Amino acid sequence: MQIQFFLQNINYIGSSCLFVIGLYTVLTHPNLIKKIIGINIMETSVFLFFVSIGFVQGGRAPILQTSGNEAVQYVNPLPSALILTGIVVAVSITVYGLSMIIKIYNAYGTIELDEIMQIRSEEAND
Amino acid sequence: MISMHLPVYILLLLLATALIIPLATKLSNLEIKIYMTYSLIVASLLSIATVARVLQAGAYVYHFGLRDPMIGVEFVVDEFSAVMMALVLILSTLVVLYSYRDIEHEIYPHLVPGYYTLVFLLMFSMIGMILTNDLFNLYVFMEILSLTSCGIVSIKRKKENLLASMKYLMLGTIGSVSILMGIAFLYMVTGNLNMTLNYEIIQEVWHIYPRNILVALGFILTGFGIKAAVFPLHTWLPDAHSTAPTPSSALLSGLVVKIYLFAVIKMIYRVIGFDIVSQLDIPLFLTYFAMVGMIMGSVFAIGQKDMKRILAYSSVAQIGYIVLGIGLATERGLSVALFHVVTHALMKSALFLSAGAIIYQTGKRDVRYFEGIGYQMPVSMIVFTIGALGMIGIPGINGFMSKWYLGLAVLDAGRPLILLVILLSSFLNAVYYIPIIISAFLKESADRENVMIVDDVPKSMTIPMSIIAGLCIIIGFFPQLVMTFIERAIPTFF
């Protein structure tokens, strides 16, 4: 019974685990590139969640067929279409974040946030 | 009859301008400026025409292509969104006029065209967010808005700008990912993304899926809370708004944050529905966060020395007023929230622009060196004084009217204790604004004698901020100019 429940909702459980892992990485990890990775994990979890809402058991790809009259079940195409847009947005955020990290590395010589904070406090004391 | 396509023309005009600026390498600097001013003025006139049409013929729904609301994307142009659009365009026209001289002073010259591309995309996405009636469309506009607003912070290429916009990007992305998750939960229940249809379906089925709605509301409110800098989630705001170039600070603090708050109002009242939200006791929690924010924002501001940081922390406190208005959950409370969106946009951009002019001429950001600056730069300092007195709530300036309405709304909602918090917050505002004004006008400057001269900053900077200060006073005496639109818009939310 319990295992059956987990198996049926594995997509939701998986995406919520990924969301929490991503959030934890963004909030706690001092390395900026790993923070970007955490953001990507969070975005992936939302994409997984959104696409799996539209899944229909035994459904086919939603391509309209003119021949044949039998009724066929299709997967809901709307979430997949939305997530394509979402992926584009995620890529642009990643690109912007990584280019910012290059600038930060040029300015401070490190991408570890705790070291940057140390440098800043030393600058403030001077 | 005025055409119903005008909002779309505005969007296309802004998008086309954003595209043309980086491509037009052959045009001289002056020609590009004339072109941008021209397109902004045309966009403002079109938005005023839209307001006129809405007043004449009432709110309307604009369909893109498909008329079926299940799949087509819609814009809803109603009284308040039309006024909000006009406010965004007129205020950003003034800020962009101001920025022509100021921005050369703050960023590298080869980045200037890129900066204006970002500003036009920012305006485009703000107007899209105001008008859209589709949840996913809202998300896409919101992402454009958050990327461009990070961009206009980081374009200054100073060390602290880079870190501030990195922080802004991180927290902003967490916010938008949460909002997308919330939209996914709503989509699970309703099966479409149209706000009006979502509202109808949720009203009927929310007893069947109470958990979905609750989780969705939690994600959406947290996400927008981060983006709108509601108190405990505000940490990115002081860094981002204070380090950004002055025109960006005015746009970000005056308009961008308000757009997110307007989106929260839309989500609470037009998507989930007021009955469900108040049954879950969410308005009560919102008022608690708002009250803590109103006090703590001002308390943090008192400890600051940097002029723009003070203004940024003051924004945190003022956002508290708007959230308090939303959280009162009465018609009056909501109308105060919308009124304060307009008044704070005007006051805070006047404050940021005048502070920017002072920094432009003297190069000083520290308020301890502002002694006698009222004699050196009277116009900027008078604009600053008008904005600051408005923040404190002196009668005759629009800030007083929104505090007055807020007090009435609080009494009307039967919670008179909140009035004490409003009074305390106004008092704290006075604690950090009044000393700046006193030292600027009454103290002797160390460098020069207190002889009254006219500001040395370009006219293109003093005139826009004087117009904004004038608008503050006009709305202070005639609040009905804005209130009539809000009163007509309020019934559409309940």
Side-chain angles (χ1 to χ4, degrees):
Chain A
M1 171 58 201
Q2 283 289 325
I3 293 172
Q4 200 68 22
F5 173 79
F6 274 110
L7 284 179
Q8 273 169 3
N9 296 304
I10 190 75
N11 46 347
Y12 300 135
I13 294 163
S15 72
S16 46
C17 288
L18 280 177
F19 191 88
V20 176
I21 293 170
L23 187 62
Y24 182 78
T25 317
V26 179
L27 292 181
T28 60
H29 218 288
N31 188 315
L32 290 175
I33 287 184
K34 288 189 179 161
K35 274 182 192 285
I36 294 280
I37 293 173
I39 280 180
N40 272 315
I41 294 174
M42 276 175 86
E43 278 161 346
T44 312
S45 79
V46 180
F47 298 159
L48 170 64
F49 188 85
F50 223 128
V51 171
S52 65
I53 297 169
F55 181 70
V56 176
Q57 197 77 46
R60 289 173 40 190
I63 301 165
L64 195 66
Q65 278 165 340
T66 44
S67 61
N69 290 329
E70 71 223 87
V72 199
Q73 276 200 322
Y74 292 118
V75 170
N76 184 358
L78 187 61
S80 318
L82 298 182
I83 289 318
L84 274 179
T85 317
I87 289 171
V88 174
V89 170
V91 168
S92 49
I93 288 175
T94 312
V95 168
Y96 178 69
L98 291 177
S99 62
M100 291 289 300
I101 290 174
I102 295 174
K103 294 277 171 205
I104 289 175
Y105 183 75
N106 287 339
Y108 290 96
T110 174
I111 52 168
E112 300 284 331
L113 207 54
D114 41 359
E115 289 174 22
I116 292 174
M117 287 303 157
Q118 211 177 346
I119 294 171
R120 275 171 70 95
S121 64
E122 280 165 14
E123 276 175 0
N125 289 335
D126 287 342
Chain B
M1 198 65 207
I2 299 158
S3 163
M4 68 189 289
H5 302 287
L6 293 185
V8 183
Y9 291 157
I10 296 174
L11 284 181
L12 288 178
L13 182 64
L14 293 176
L15 201 57
T17 315
L19 263 175
I20 287 169
I21 294 165
L23 293 179
T25 42
K26 278 188 184 159
L27 293 182
S28 72
N29 222 343
L30 184 71
E31 281 167 330
I32 289 182
K33 279 177 187 170
I34 290 171
Y35 170 66
M36 285 192 294
T37 318
Y38 183 68
S39 75
L40 274 173
I41 288 173
V42 170
S44 309
L45 290 178
L46 288 178
S47 72
I48 291 170
T50 312
V51 174
R53 181 195 154 106
V54 168
L55 278 186
Q56 228 174 47
Y60 63 95
V61 177
Y62 185 89
H63 299 274
F64 282 90
L66 297 162
R67 283 197 165 268
D68 180 6
M70 287 293 277
I71 37 179
V73 173
E74 295 177 350
F75 273 4
V76 167
V77 187
D78 61 8
E79 284 87 352
F80 191 74
S81 55
V83 173
M84 194 76 187
M85 185 167 71
L87 175 82
V88 167
L89 282 169
I90 293 169
L91 204 56
S92 16
T93 309
L94 292 170
V95 173
V96 168
L97 281 178
Y98 172 97
S99 74
Y100 287 150
R101 293 297 296 277
D102 184 70
I103 202 69
E104 293 163 358
H105 208 252
E106 297 205 58
I107 65 175
Y108 295 119
H110 69 276
L111 292 173
V112 172
Y115 180 78
Y116 285 112
T117 306
L118 288 174
V119 169
F120 273 87
L121 280 176
L122 184 91
M123 279 184 258
F124 163 78
S125 52
M126 279 198 283
I127 288 167
M129 264 185 91
I130 293 169
L131 293 176
T132 184
N133 197 32
D134 184 275
L135 289 170
F136 195 75
N137 206 0
L138 181 82
Y139 168 76
V140 173
F141 277 124
M142 192 175 68
E143 286 292 4
I144 303 173
L145 183 54
S146 60
L147 271 176
T148 47
S149 47
C150 283
I152 61 172
V153 175
S154 68
I155 201 159
K156 207 171 160 187
R157 302 268 175 95
K158 288 263 175 65
K159 276 183 171 183
E160 64 268 18
N161 281 74
L162 296 173
L163 271 191
S165 59
M166 194 71 200
K167 202 175 183 182
Y168 191 7
L169 182 75
M170 292 292 171
L171 288 171
T173 312
I174 293 175
S176 47
V177 167
S178 309
I179 293 165
L180 188 59
M181 197 68 156
I183 291 173
F185 274 99
L186 285 182
Y187 183 79
M188 264 173 106
V189 176
T190 60
N192 69 72
L193 292 159
N194 184 286
M195 288 189 186
T196 323
L197 277 181
N198 258 301
Y199 176 76
E200 284 161 13
I201 296 171
I202 287 171
Q203 294 308 305
E204 282 175 22
V205 302
W206 92 278
H207 287 290
I208 313 173
Y209 309 104
R211 279 197 199 128
N212 263 42
I213 305 287
L214 186 62
V215 174
L217 202 54
F219 272 115
I220 287 172
L221 283 181
T222 320
F224 278 118
I226 295 174
K227 297 220 147 216
V230 179
F231 172 66
L233 308 168
H234 70 283
T235 45
W236 57 268
L237 186 141
D239 290 338
H241 288 195
S242 63
T243 56
T246 306
S248 315
S249 312
L251 285 174
L252 290 174
S253 222
L255 295 171
V256 173
V257 169
K258 310 297 155 39
I259 303 296
Y260 291 124
L261 284 168
F262 185 55
V264 176
I265 297 176
K266 254 190 184 172
M267 293 306 277
I268 290 179
Y269 289 95
R270 289 206 179 143
V271 179
I272 311 278
F274 175 67
D275 294 333
I276 298 170
V277 173
S278 53
Q279 275 184 43
L280 295 171
D281 260 353
I282 283 167
L284 195 66
F285 289 105
L286 281 183
T287 53
Y288 293 148
F289 285 123
M291 284 190 285
V292 178
M294 278 156 65
I295 306 247
M296 293 311 288
S298 305
V299 170
F300 285 134
I302 290 170
Q304 302 301 322
K305 299 280 178 286
D306 183 350
M307 187 65 237
K308 283 172 86 176
R309 251 187 128 71
I310 293 179
L311 295 179
Y313 271 112
S314 152
S315 277
V316 175
Q318 298 290 322
I319 288 157
Y321 286 92
I322 301 172
V323 178
L324 178 64
I326 301 170
L328 285 177
T330 56
E331 292 197 8
R332 272 205 165 149
L334 189 60
S335 64
V336 171
L338 295 177
F339 186 73
H340 200 64
V341 165
V342 178
T343 49
H344 181 243
L346 290 172
M347 289 189 295
K348 197 34 79 55
S349 37
L351 282 170
F352 263 120
L353 294 187
S354 53
I358 292 168
I359 295 168
Y360 178 88
Q361 195 185 339
T362 62
K364 290 170 189 158
R365 294 171 69 104
D366 195 320
V367 287
R368 286 171 298 185
Y369 301 121
F370 274 26
E371 288 161 355
I373 215 153
Y375 292 91
Q376 198 183 345
M377 314 185 61
V379 178
S380 313
M381 209 53 217
I382 286 170
V383 171
F384 184 88
T385 310
I386 291 170
L389 293 182
M391 288 285 171
I392 299 163
I394 305 292
I397 301 162
N398 54 8
F400 169 74
M401 284 322 293
S402 55
K403 277 190 184 160
W404 178 259
Y405 286 131
L406 189 60
L408 287 179
V410 165
L411 290 179
D412 197 46
R415 296 166 72 183
L417 280 178
I418 300 179
L419 209 55
L420 287 177
V421 180
I422 297 173
L423 282 176
L424 181 63
S425 165
S426 306
F427 174 71
L428 288 171
N429 281 343
V431 168
Y432 58 86
Y433 277 125
I434 293 282
I436 301 173
I437 300 171
I438 289 177
S439 74
F441 281 112
L442 299 178
K443 280 196 183 155
E444 286 290 327
S445 165
D447 309 333
R448 57 183 291 281
E449 276 184 53
N450 278 359
V451 188
M452 188 72 90
I453 53 167
V454 182
D455 303 34
D456 203 18
V457 290
K459 285 250 173 0
S460 69
M461 286 166 75
T462 48
I463 291 173
M465 65 192 187
S466 310
I467 294 173
I468 296 175
L471 283 175
C472 284
I473 294 180
I474 290 170
I475 293 178
F477 280 104
F478 306 102
Q480 287 307 319
L481 288 177
V482 181
M483 236 10 193
T484 32
F485 292 102
I486 292 172
E487 271 160 10
R488 285 177 67 155
I490 287 297
T492 61
F493 286 99
F494 281 91

